[in-house]
């Protein structure tokens, strides 16, 4: 690696670590979001089950208890849906952060690749010039030998 690229390579390593960290944050946020959504779906299912059972004739005490349970489960379901919405916002923010970090890393990697390609092209041109010079020298020697 050329001395000019050492600093850029260090920047690339830092960007790579940041990208990995933000990717792990995204994975964690996604897991949290999925877990909260699953809990919300379970609670919705419980609410549906209790509502279906509420249509059956029951003694007043059981009916009141069932309505209390239904109200509690429905409140928990609403609260869990709000938590799922908040977790979705966090997940979206984590995804945007990861995409930004990934974009920055790709920019540095692209710059490093372009610099390496430019050095290879310059080396190929220098080699071509050298081969042209050697060919010209050989042609001159051959011509001088023919002249003698």
């Amino acid at each position: 690696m050329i001395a000019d690229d050492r600093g850029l390579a260090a920047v690339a390593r830092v960007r790579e670590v940041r990208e990995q960290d933000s990717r792990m944050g995204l994975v964690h946020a996604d897991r949290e979001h999925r877990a909260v959504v699953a809990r919300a779906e379970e609670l919705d299912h419980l609410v549906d089950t209790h509502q279906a059972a509420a249509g059956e004739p029951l003694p007043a005490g059981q009916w009141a208890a069932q309505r209390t349970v239904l109200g509690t489960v429905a409140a928990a379901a609403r609260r869990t849906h709000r938590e799922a919405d908040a977790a979705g916002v966090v997940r979206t923010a984590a995804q945007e952060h990861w995409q930004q970090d990934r974009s920055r890393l790709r920019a540095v990697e692209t710059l490093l690749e372009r610099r390496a390609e430019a050095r290879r092209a310059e080396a190929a041109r220098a080699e071509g010039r050298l081969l042209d010079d050697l060919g010209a020298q050989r042609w001159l020697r051959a011509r001088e030998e023919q002249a003698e």
Side-chain angles (χ1 to χ4, degrees), residues 73-85:
V73 172
R78 286 190 301 274
R79 187 174 51 253
T80 306
H81 278 287
R82 284 192 301 272
E83 290 173 8
D85 291 343

Side-chain angles (χ1 to χ4, degrees), residues 28-38 83-85 87-89 91:
H28 180 71
D30 187 53
R31 271 193 215 125
E32 289 291 320
H33 180 248
R34 288 174 191 256
V36 173
V37 167
E83 290 173 8
D85 291 343
V89 169
R91 182 189 171 281

Side-chain angles (χ1 to χ4, degrees), residues 98-139:
W98 170 69
Q99 287 174 340
Q100 220 173 30
D101 286 343
R102 184 179 64 169
S103 174
R104 289 176 179 157
L105 173 62
R106 285 184 176 170
V108 173
E109 288 174 340
T110 300
L111 183 56
L112 280 169
E113 289 171 7
R114 286 181 183 167
R115 285 183 170 188
E117 181 60 34
R119 281 192 302 275
R120 284 191 294 272
E122 180 56 36
R125 284 191 295 273
E127 183 181 3
R129 284 190 300 268
L130 178 64
L131 291 175
D132 284 348
D133 288 346
L134 291 174
Q137 289 173 8
R138 186 173 183 187
W139 181 80

Side-chain angles (χ1 to χ4, degrees), residues 16-78:
E16 184 176 6
V17 168
R18 285 184 180 170
E19 188 269 341
Q20 289 172 354
D21 287 347
S22 62
R23 186 175 18 162
M24 288 188 313
L26 173 59
V27 168
H28 180 71
D30 187 53
R31 271 193 215 125
E32 289 291 320
H33 180 248
R34 288 174 191 256
V36 173
V37 167
R39 276 197 314 261
E41 288 173 355
E42 289 173 10
L43 289 171
D44 286 343
H45 178 69
L46 281 174
V47 168
D48 292 343
T49 302
H50 279 284
Q51 281 180 341
E56 299 172 6
L58 295 172
Q62 285 182 345
W63 181 85
Q66 191 176 37
R67 296 305 293 178
T68 302
V69 168
L70 178 60
T72 303
V73 172
R78 286 190 301 274

